Amino acid sequence: MVHDLIQRLKTEYSDELFEQLYRLYADRAIRTAAAVTGSSASAADVVQETFIRVYRNLGSYDMSRPFEPWFNRILYNECNRYLKKHAKMVPSEISEERDLPSESDTYEFERHGEVYELVQRLDDPHRIPVILKYLNDVAEKDIADMMELNVNTVKSRLFKARKKLKEWMLQNRGGNQHGT
Amino acid sequence: MGRDPWDQEIADGLKKGTDDAMRHKDEIWMAIKERIHNEQAQQPAEPETRFAPRESKGRRRSGRRAAGWIAGTAAAAAIVLTVSFQTAPVQAFIDQVKEWFAPQKTVEQELEGMPETSVDQLHEGADYVIYMDESRFKMVRESGVDRIELKEKPTDDRYPEVFMEISQEGIDPKSAAEQLQKELQTYPKVEANLVDEPIQGWEVRAVGGTGGKEWDDPVIRYYVFDNGQGGSFVVKQQYFLEASEGFGARFHNMMKEFHITSHHNGETTKE
């Protein structure tokens, strides 16, 4: 279906066809961009830019290759561009001794949910693969390709991130059970 | 196949945390549609290449893209100075280049998650300048190709080569990019796209070896862009997968400070 749609779009553009393509990929793109940038408004900019690049580059898209990794790569590049432009300050390493969320974070937990907020506490090298895998269903080999990493490095980062999230969550829940 | 409960909790938690962003879905589409219409209005479609990427030659760009080219590729304002070929040959040209660009620049960048500061030196090539960290790289010039390579190469030959080469071709960027893409067809992964960063032009990227499974799979990235003289600059970056966040990021950042300094028809131009 996507293949046919793109083939038709490559031949002749129409708003209707491009909207179909947008509707197919918008949900995951918006969620991914929102999680990466940490803001709905920024996600809107990133997704808009992503689809504009898709529009501009469809002419050079190689139909013999799958569309989704190509699209995800454009999305990832746009997310990355946003992060670099806004120089998002993230801890360079995950500190083992890092304090758990304090009371002031409780509101955020309620707003976005505990898991989401804990994922945001990871540093980018761990946070981005988690978002791509769990929110966008990107295969580990495709994450590796997008981030220009060895697949084993991606696996290792996902493993560490998952372990850390679990640890934080159990600790947090344990803390809550004991009187908060 | 069911997901591990903990994996499912992460997936559900991330979905919940991004529900709020979904309310913009229709607005985003409207904005995309409007931008596409604007682009189409600025550049009348050609029947057989209606959807093909635009030529990256500055002269043929729409006003919007041309503005982006000037701002993105080189310095914000174009300065044109007349230089007499008879009285002021190469040395004068170089002197002017030195006046335009600071001889050195402090570069702060984040590499592999760690902040790093270096003092990069200005290097002038044929029709361009670039900043380079001389504590790490050196420039070797040979047969029309400027090669930036490691000053101290690893003695362990397990590490694949790392370098950046700058040259020019007498054909337009699109044709040059297509040619490079063809040359790289034997690589497991090859793709070509129009990019705005680190420079506006074509990016042709290929991953060799196993195509991304091994740490030492070679990564080749070309940037091909208008040289302002009817031809193209071709910048080839080569490193390996494990070095993407290190050397790959360094080369990427170096390209952000690549400036064309054309020298033709009796005029020296800094773009």
Side-chain angles (χ1 to χ4, degrees):
Chain A
M1 181 193 172
V2 179
H3 191 271
D4 290 348
L5 189 57
I6 292 163
Q7 185 67 65
R8 287 167 67 195
L9 270 167
K10 273 168 87 83
T11 313
E12 189 166 15
Y13 172 84
S14 81
D15 286 344
E16 292 71 27
L17 289 177
F18 203 71
E19 184 173 1
Q20 279 182 42
L21 185 70
Y22 172 77
R23 301 277 168 201
L24 278 174
Y25 291 95
D27 285 23
R28 279 196 281 172
I30 294 170
R31 287 186 189 280
T32 301
V36 170
T37 62
S39 140
S40 298
S42 305
D45 289 344
V46 166
V47 173
Q48 191 189 133
E49 215 48 54
T50 299
F51 277 92
I52 289 296
R53 272 168 206 281
V54 168
Y55 165 75
R56 287 177 185 162
N57 281 298
L58 265 183
S60 67
Y61 167 65
D62 180 353
M63 293 293 292
S64 67
R65 293 172 189 269
F67 177 76
E68 210 161 300
W70 184 76
F71 174 82
N72 283 335
R73 187 169 177 80
I74 294 176
L75 175 65
Y76 171 74
N77 286 343
E78 283 310 309
C79 287
N80 232 353
R81 216 147 72 100
Y82 173 89
L83 290 181
K84 282 178 184 163
K85 195 172 166 186
H86 293 82
K88 193 168 182 290
M89 292 304 292
V90 289
S92 57
E93 286 179 6
I94 301 167
S95 166
E96 299 297 321
E97 291 80 33
R98 195 185 177 100
D99 289 337
L100 282 168
S102 63
E103 282 182 6
S104 60
D105 287 321
T106 307
Y107 169 76
E108 289 298 316
F109 277 7
E110 284 166 2
R111 188 173 158 215
H112 291 295
E114 183 186 25
V115 172
Y116 177 87
E117 294 303 335
L118 291 178
V119 168
Q120 297 301 342
R121 286 174 172 248
L122 296 168
D123 64 353
D124 280 358
H126 292 87
R127 190 175 71 93
I128 308 290
V130 166
I131 292 168
L132 292 172
K133 179 181 167 72
Y134 291 100
L135 198 52
N136 205 346
D137 275 334
V138 182
E140 288 169 0
K141 68 174 180 51
D142 290 331
I143 297 175
D145 186 40
M146 285 154 78
M147 298 182 76
E148 287 195 348
L149 294 170
N150 183 333
V151 182
N152 291 331
T153 306
V154 171
K155 284 181 196 280
S156 156
R157 287 186 187 180
L158 283 167
F159 176 78
K160 283 182 192 163
R162 196 172 173 277
K163 192 175 164 209
K164 184 53 74 179
L165 287 170
K166 195 171 186 177
E167 195 181 303
W168 281 343
M169 190 168 280
L170 291 174
Q171 207 174 339
N172 191 45
R173 287 173 184 172
N176 283 340
Q177 280 167 9
H178 290 91
T180 51
Chain B
M1 194 167 61
R3 241 179 177 163
D4 173 286
W6 175 237
D7 284 351
Q8 193 60 51
E9 190 165 353
I10 299 176
D12 292 345
L14 282 170
K15 197 161 178 279
K16 185 187 169 198
T18 53
D19 276 345
D20 182 50
M22 295 308 295
R23 68 192 156 89
H24 296 298
K25 190 172 167 181
D26 289 334
E27 288 165 38
I28 299 170
W29 166 243
M30 293 310 287
I32 292 167
K33 195 163 78 169
E34 195 184 329
R35 278 186 64 186
I36 290 174
H37 289 175
N38 285 342
E39 293 206 5
Q40 287 172 333
Q42 283 175 5
Q43 188 174 31
E46 294 165 20
E48 71 282 16
T49 55
R50 188 167 186 149
F51 218 147
R54 277 79 53 84
E55 292 285 340
S56 54
K57 281 176 78 73
R59 290 187 284 285
R60 296 185 197 169
R61 278 198 195 93
S62 64
R64 183 179 182 139
R65 296 277 288 179
W69 171 263
I70 292 165
T73 311
I79 303 165
V80 181
L81 295 175
T82 303
V83 176
S84 157
F85 277 116
Q86 287 87 6
T87 58
V90 179
Q91 189 54 47
F93 169 62
I94 290 172
D95 288 344
Q96 275 165 2
V97 167
K98 281 180 176 168
E99 279 175 28
W100 288 332
F101 298 98
Q104 59 185 37
K105 189 186 280 268
T106 303
V107 177
E108 289 176 8
Q109 54 190 334
E110 192 176 297
L111 297 164
E112 295 176 294
M114 298 298 286
E116 184 187 285
T117 303
S118 62
V119 178
D120 293 6
Q121 307 295 322
L122 180 73
H123 280 259
E124 300 109 30
D127 305 333
Y128 76 91
V129 294
I130 195 166
Y131 285 89
M132 187 175 89
D133 178 2
E134 286 185 347
S135 69
R136 203 174 292 272
F137 299 106
K138 64 177 177 181
M139 174 87 83
V140 180
R141 295 193 161 115
E142 205 171 288
S143 315
V145 178
D146 294 347
R147 184 178 164 106
I148 296 172
E149 57 183 38
L150 286 175
K151 204 170 173 183
E152 290 172 22
K153 291 183 184 170
T155 47
D156 190 335
D157 60 9
R158 282 183 310 149
Y159 293 101
E161 268 195 307
V162 171
F163 62 85
M164 177 154 85
E165 285 179 347
I166 302 162
S167 58
Q168 295 190 58
E169 293 288 338
I171 52 175
D172 68 277
K174 189 183 172 199
S175 307
E178 283 170 355
Q179 198 172 306
L180 290 168
Q181 199 177 0
K182 274 184 201 152
E183 284 172 16
L184 293 167
Q185 276 309 312
T186 52
Y187 281 69
K189 285 199 170 104
V190 190
E191 59 185 33
N193 283 312
L194 274 170
V195 295
D196 285 338
E197 276 194 355
I199 203 151
Q200 203 167 47
W202 287 87
E203 178 199 60
V204 183
R205 178 180 166 273
V207 181
T210 64
K213 294 188 183 73
E214 296 296 333
W215 69 273
D216 59 350
D217 283 345
V219 179
I220 295 176
R221 193 189 291 272
Y222 283 100
Y223 290 107
V224 188
F225 46 97
D226 192 352
N227 69 358
Q229 299 175 60
S232 312
F233 269 107
V234 177
V235 176
K236 178 184 183 182
Q237 300 178 348
Q238 183 166 323
Y239 45 94
F240 51 97
L241 211 54
E242 202 66 12
S244 297
E245 291 178 339
F247 289 116
R250 279 180 210 283
F251 287 156
H252 181 89
N253 292 339
M254 280 163 78
M255 280 308 293
K256 287 182 184 167
E257 287 300 325
F258 181 102
H259 299 274
I260 298 172
T261 55
S262 308
H263 188 201
H264 55 104
N265 298 332
E267 286 183 337
T268 299
T269 310
K270 171 204 173 211
E271 291 170 329

